[in-house]
């Protein structure tokens, strides 16, 4: 009897052990807590910023909310039942996928794990957000999106560029990458329409200044949260031409803590060229680069037929700055309801200005054939590119560097001219913010094409800020010292 009792106890113990092992090996499916909850809205940086760099908010949130709590070394801390068994390792897959965890970890009553988060959709725009997307904000955010997944090495110097224009307030913060390149680590852009009403009154309006100051406060906070090696903060046509432009900048310094520099038109043209250098391919003989702004339009004629310098701006042989942009032209002729007759009058008005430009013929000898092209950097040309591509949502990656032939440009201008105001508002690449300005921009573009006819137009979703960063980094010598992207060597 004693022998039988002993055998029975061993069999029961073995069965209990096998049952425990099988239980530990089962998995249950738990929803990934980061399937959209807490995801940044369009245009926002995808990582939380600190003075040392970017901390990926998605990873931080997942560690905080995950049913399996992280330990101090960054790995999941197993409970007692996990130590007792040799189940499969917990597998976690990113964004919108499933997280596999052991039954015990999900069911343990004292694990203090939160209940699995319900599925949620991506963050919707705020109800009071304009129907049209803030295009440049998304463009800048797209440039910075990869940095949300990794920290910026502390040994890399940080540079910043701010451009307060007639229509937009834009900020870029970047670190140097490989020679001649940089990596954006933060970006901000907001349409403020600082020049609203300026052409009629000659002064900046109170509401416009209030909008600009609020945007600049955001920029100031971003800059003060970092150790910035060098920065350049510029203001362009609106502040340059307004009677109260200097007074406004004093208010900016007092309320936002930023000291802005009003640059002249020559400097503005040079910076626009510097920002687009990488889009001019080798083998190009001549380029007409234009930047259609809110209150002015800069045009630079570039001769590359001789030995090429590392700085595209060194090849400018003539330039001009027209005292007309999308805001001022739309206010003068009307931008909401634009008939073919009004559009033609806009084109003629700008063409007259261009014909008065004495240096317009400086590269006529280079304009024949495919080794000459136009290069446009503005919301006008990026809008045309987005409409051409029939994008459901503006995407900088598809637009920046895109080539458009003459027939495509003609077709897009005709299409926009055939739309009424509401149709332009409804288009994802235009929206309410630009619906009353885009045809004025098309009129300026058409005048440029008349004076410098070209088979091709290249689209640049970049401009003054990129030019500022390139010049700051080159002048600081970071590339000469051998800095490399993410290595600091």
């Amino acid at each position: 009897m004693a022998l039988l009792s002993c055998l029975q106890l061993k069999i029961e113990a073995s069965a209990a052990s096998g049952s425990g092992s099988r239980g530990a090996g089962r998995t249950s499916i738990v929803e990934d807590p980061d399937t959209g909850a807490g995801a940044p809205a369009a245009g926002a940086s995808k990582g939380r910023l600190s003075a040392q760099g970017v901390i990926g908010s998605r990873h931080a949130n997942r560690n905080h909310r995950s049913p399996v709590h992280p330990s101090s070394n960054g790995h999941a801390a197993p409970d007692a039942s996990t130590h007792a068994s040799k189940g499969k390792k917990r597998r976690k897959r990113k964004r919108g996928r499933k997280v596999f965890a052991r039954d015990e970890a999900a069911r343990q009553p004292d694990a203090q794990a939160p209940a699995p988060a319900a599925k949620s959709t991506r963050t919707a725009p705020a109800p009071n957000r304009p129907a049209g997307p803030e295009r440049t904000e998304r463009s800048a955010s797209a440039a910075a999106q990869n940095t949300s997944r990794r920290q910026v090495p502390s040994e890399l110097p940080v540079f910043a560029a701010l451009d307060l224009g007639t229509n937009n307030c834009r900020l870029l913060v970047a670190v140097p990458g490989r020679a001649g390149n940089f990596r954006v680590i933060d970006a901000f852009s907001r349409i403020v329409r600082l020049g609203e009403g300026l052409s009629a009154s000659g002064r900046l309006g109170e509401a416009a200044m209030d909008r600009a100051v609020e945007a600049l406060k955001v920029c100031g906070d971003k800059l003060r949260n970092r150790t910035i090696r060098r920065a350049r903060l510029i203001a362009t046509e609106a502040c340059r031409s307004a009677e109260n432009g200097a007074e406004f900048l004093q208010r900016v310094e007092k309320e936002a803590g930023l000291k802005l520099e009003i640059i002249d038109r020559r400097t503005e043209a040079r910076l626009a060229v510097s920002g687009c250098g990488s889009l001019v391919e080798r083998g190009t003989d001549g380029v007409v680069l234009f930047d259609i702004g809110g209150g002015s339009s800069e045009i630079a004629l570039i001769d590359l037929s001789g030995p090429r310098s590392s700085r595209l701006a060194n090849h400018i042989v003539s330039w001009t700055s027209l005292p007309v942009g999308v805001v001022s032209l739309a206010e003068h002729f009307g931008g909401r309801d634009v008939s073919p007759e009004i559009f033609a009058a806009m084109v003629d008005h700008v063409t007259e200005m261009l014909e008065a430009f004495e240096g317009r013929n400086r590269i006529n000898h280079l304009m024949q054939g495919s080794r000459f092209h136009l290069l446009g950097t503005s919301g006008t040309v990026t809008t045309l590119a987005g409409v051409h591509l029939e994008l459901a949502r503006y995407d900088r990656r598809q637009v920046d560097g895109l080539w458009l032939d003459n027939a495509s440009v003609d077709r897009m201008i005709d299409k926009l001219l055939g739309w009424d105001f509401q149709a332009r508002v409804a288009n994802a690449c235009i929206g309410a913010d630009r619906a009353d300005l885009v045809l004025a921009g098309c009129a300026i573009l058409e005048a440029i094409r008349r004076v410098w006819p070209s088979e091709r137009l290249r689209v640049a979703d970049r401009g003054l800020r990129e030019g500022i960063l390139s010049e700051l980094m080159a002048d600081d010598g970071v590339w000469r010292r051998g800095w490399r992207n993410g290595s600091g060597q």
Side-chain angles (χ1 to χ4, degrees):
M1 291 296 293
L3 179 61
L4 289 174
S5 298
C6 182
L7 288 173
Q8 184 176 2
L9 288 174
K10 288 183 178 181
I11 291 171
E12 290 175 354
S14 176
S17 174
S19 175
S21 176
R22 287 191 299 271
R26 291 195 211 102
T27 60
S28 64
I29 300 177
V30 181
E31 288 295 329
D32 189 337
D34 192 39
T35 53
S45 299
K46 293 189 178 180
R48 181 168 59 85
L49 303 172
S50 70
Q52 292 75 27
V54 177
I55 301 173
S57 60
R58 289 179 299 177
H59 301 301
N61 289 343
R62 181 153 63 248
N63 286 342
H64 177 70
R65 297 168 57 189
S66 173
V68 180
H69 296 288
S71 64
S72 59
N73 61 4
H75 299 288
D79 55 20
S81 61
T82 306
H83 281 299
S85 62
K86 295 182 179 180
K88 292 182 179 180
K89 290 184 178 180
R90 171 176 174 270
R91 292 187 296 139
K92 180 161 61 178
R93 302 175 69 183
K94 294 180 180 179
R95 261 194 118 74
R97 307 286 179 88
K98 305 295 184 181
V99 173
F100 295 87
R102 295 186 181 87
D103 280 349
E104 285 73 18
R107 292 198 307 260
Q108 192 72 13
D110 59 350
Q112 298 180 358
K119 289 183 179 179
S120 61
T121 58
R122 294 186 183 276
T123 305
N128 61 348
R129 184 181 177 86
E134 293 188 8
R135 297 266 316 290
T136 53
E137 185 174 356
R138 282 209 305 275
S139 301
S141 176
Q145 63 184 350
N146 289 337
T147 60
S148 63
R149 301 190 182 106
R150 56 185 174 181
Q151 288 189 342
V152 178
S154 58
E155 65 270 23
L156 289 177
V158 179
F159 297 81
L162 186 148
D163 168 24
L164 177 63
T166 303
N167 199 40
N168 293 275
C169 174
R170 302 182 179 104
L171 171 72
L172 276 187
V173 182
V175 294
R178 298 188 180 277
N181 297 300
F182 54 80
R183 178 160 55 94
V184 175
I185 60 174
D186 195 14
F188 173 82
S189 180
R190 181 178 296 172
I191 293 177
V192 296
R193 296 209 178 196
L194 178 61
E196 186 175 55
L198 175 61
S199 59
S201 67
R203 296 178 60 83
L204 302 175
E206 289 297 327
M209 290 190 291
D210 290 343
R211 291 192 299 266
V213 168
E214 290 305 311
L216 289 167
K217 286 179 180 178
V218 177
C219 296
D221 290 341
K222 286 178 174 289
L223 293 174
R224 282 185 288 272
N225 284 336
R226 293 183 179 275
T227 300
I228 304 295
R229 173 75 153 266
R230 293 184 66 183
R232 190 172 188 184
L233 319 178
I234 66 170
T236 57
E237 183 63 23
C239 295
R240 198 160 50 213
S241 59
E243 295 176 6
N244 57 341
E247 177 184 338
F248 167 67
L249 293 190
Q250 291 176 0
R251 177 185 169 186
V252 169
E253 185 173 1
K254 179 179 179 181
E255 296 185 23
L258 298 176
K259 188 174 181 60
L260 272 60
E261 162 198 5
I262 299 178
I263 61 172
D264 58 33
R265 289 176 174 143
R266 184 184 186 92
T267 301
E268 186 172 357
R270 191 197 74 238
L271 290 174
V273 172
S274 296
C276 298
S278 62
L279 292 182
V280 177
E281 299 172 345
R282 293 197 176 277
T284 302
D285 286 340
V287 173
V288 173
L289 185 145
F290 59 91
D291 181 1
I292 302 174
S296 67
S297 296
E298 279 61 50
I299 301 170
L301 278 56
I302 303 169
D303 185 345
L304 296 164
S305 58
R308 185 163 176 174
S309 166
S310 59
R311 292 195 184 190
L312 187 64
N314 292 342
H315 295 279
I316 298 174
V317 294
S318 187
W319 70 277
T320 187
S321 180
L322 304 182
V324 64
V326 295
V327 174
S328 56
L329 193 62
E331 288 183 349
H332 182 70
F333 286 90
R336 185 183 180 95
D337 300 312
V338 181
S339 67
E341 293 74 21
I342 293 175
F343 183 78
M346 287 181 178
V347 176
D348 291 341
H349 178 71
V350 180
T351 302
E352 289 178 5
M353 293 183 177
L354 289 174
E355 289 175 348
F357 168 36
E358 294 182 357
R360 68 182 184 279
N361 299 322
R362 291 290 301 276
I363 60 170
N364 281 10
H365 62 291
L366 304 173
M367 289 171 54
Q368 303 301 320
S370 60
R371 296 170 72 90
F372 165 78
H373 67 85
L374 302 180
L375 177 56
T377 166
S378 68
T380 297
V381 292
T382 56
T383 294
L384 286 176
V387 174
H388 170 75
L389 295 172
E390 298 182 345
L391 298 179
R393 180 178 180 180
Y394 183 82
D395 184 355
R396 180 186 186 274
R397 294 168 297 178
Q398 297 188 55
V399 169
D400 187 46
L402 180 72
W403 288 100
L404 293 174
D405 59 23
N406 267 333
S408 297
V409 177
D410 289 339
R411 187 168 57 254
M412 292 308 104
I413 293 178
D414 289 342
K415 177 182 285 191
L416 293 181
L417 193 56
W419 288 350
D420 62 14
F421 177 74
Q422 292 303 327
R424 298 195 298 272
V425 169
N427 184 270
C429 294
I430 304 175
D433 289 330
R434 297 178 181 270
D436 61 337
L437 304 176
V438 65
L439 284 173
C442 288
I444 298 173
L445 170 60
E446 186 62 24
I448 292 171
R449 295 173 70 213
R450 283 186 183 180
V451 176
W452 297 284
S454 171
E455 297 176 1
R456 300 182 300 162
L457 163 66
R458 194 164 203 190
V459 178
D461 190 341
R462 57 183 76 191
L464 298 182
R465 295 173 302 165
E466 289 82 0
I468 291 171
L469 289 173
S470 294
E471 292 196 353
L472 287 178
M473 292 180 188
D475 292 343
D476 199 61
V478 294
W479 294 310
R480 289 197 301 273
R481 289 197 294 270
W483 286 96
R484 290 295 181 263
N485 189 14
S487 68
Q489 299 175 355

